Amino acid sequence: YGGRPGDVSWSTALPNVIYQMWKSADDITAYNASEMRAAVSAQIANVAAQAKGGLGQMHTPYGDWCPPPAKMGGGQGVKPSASLTSAFSYIHMVQQGAELAQAAGNASLAASLAALNTTLLKEYNVAFYQGEGKYDTNTQTALALALALKAPPDANATQKVLLDAIATTHTHSFTGIIGSSRLYDMLSEA
């Protein structure tokens, strides 16, 4: 597997672990270590290079891993488009990086990442927003990820579409690992 970048969603582990250490223990020490700050910045730059063709064109070997099929024994269920999970993970990494930089007192980096986030959210909506609160393939994952990023131009409309998607499946979730990581928080806010 050397010579190809890893799935973007897998590669968020480094910034996410540092971010979660800060959030859970209110301790920014790990991020303040110069090699960790540099590693988070390098990872964001690495993924930015992978996104240079646009968020809708990002390489995604795995996507939303293992959503259940509508009928037991039917293989994997419906997934969002291949690039959506990578685009989500990239933007989420930028959002975490901005928060980490702000907490560490690096206002210029925080501002730069916040500006990048704004640009990326616009691009995300161009690539995946279908109108009327709908995103991408309109899967539970696509809707939950958009809400988690705070991307929808009308969050209430997207929340309604998500609630309807859950209702049509008799309140069952049909998300893979990435979608499941955000679905329940987004449902609690709907």
Side-chain angles (χ1 to χ4, degrees):
Y1 294 66
R4 76 169 168 92
D7 187 278
V8 173
S9 297
W10 279 94
S11 73
T12 64
L14 170 74
N16 192 45
V17 166
I18 294 168
Y19 180 85
Q20 295 304 330
M21 287 171 57
W22 165 56
K23 287 303 230 180
S24 65
D26 195 27
D27 184 359
I28 199 73
T29 308
Y31 178 74
N32 276 335
S34 62
E35 65 273 4
M36 289 297 114
R37 278 194 318 271
V40 170
S41 292
Q43 184 54 21
I44 291 171
N46 170 39
V47 177
Q50 293 178 52
K52 70 180 178 248
L55 295 179
Q57 303 301 314
M58 289 186 77
H59 174 71
T60 306
Y62 302 113
D64 193 26
W65 311 298
C66 306
K71 182 179 179 197
M72 192 64 94
Q76 289 193 34
V78 178
K79 294 182 177 188
S81 64
S83 56
L84 181 121
T85 53
S86 285
F88 163 79
S89 294
Y90 172 36
I91 296 170
H92 189 245
M93 187 185 318
V94 168
Q95 291 172 345
Q96 287 180 326
E99 285 187 58
L100 285 165
Q102 186 68 41
N106 188 337
S108 64
L109 178 58
S112 174
L113 290 172
L116 176 58
N117 177 59
T118 299
T119 299
L120 292 173
L121 287 175
K122 288 176 186 172
E123 185 180 343
Y124 186 87
N125 281 334
V126 167
F128 304 111
Y129 187 61
Q130 304 297 320
E132 299 178 356
K134 299 176 183 175
Y135 274 85
D136 192 50
T137 56
N138 216 31
T139 58
Q140 294 171 3
T141 293
L143 298 165
L145 297 185
L147 287 165
L149 291 174
K150 301 194 180 330
D154 181 353
N156 290 331
T158 303
Q159 288 172 332
K160 182 183 179 331
V161 174
L162 177 59
L163 290 172
D164 290 347
I166 293 291
T168 62
T169 60
H170 307 288
T171 68
H172 292 281
S173 65
F174 283 89
T175 56
I177 294 169
I178 297 171
S180 293
S181 73
R182 302 291 182 249
L183 178 65
Y184 302 104
D185 287 340
M186 295 307 100
L187 285 172
S188 73
E189 293 177 13

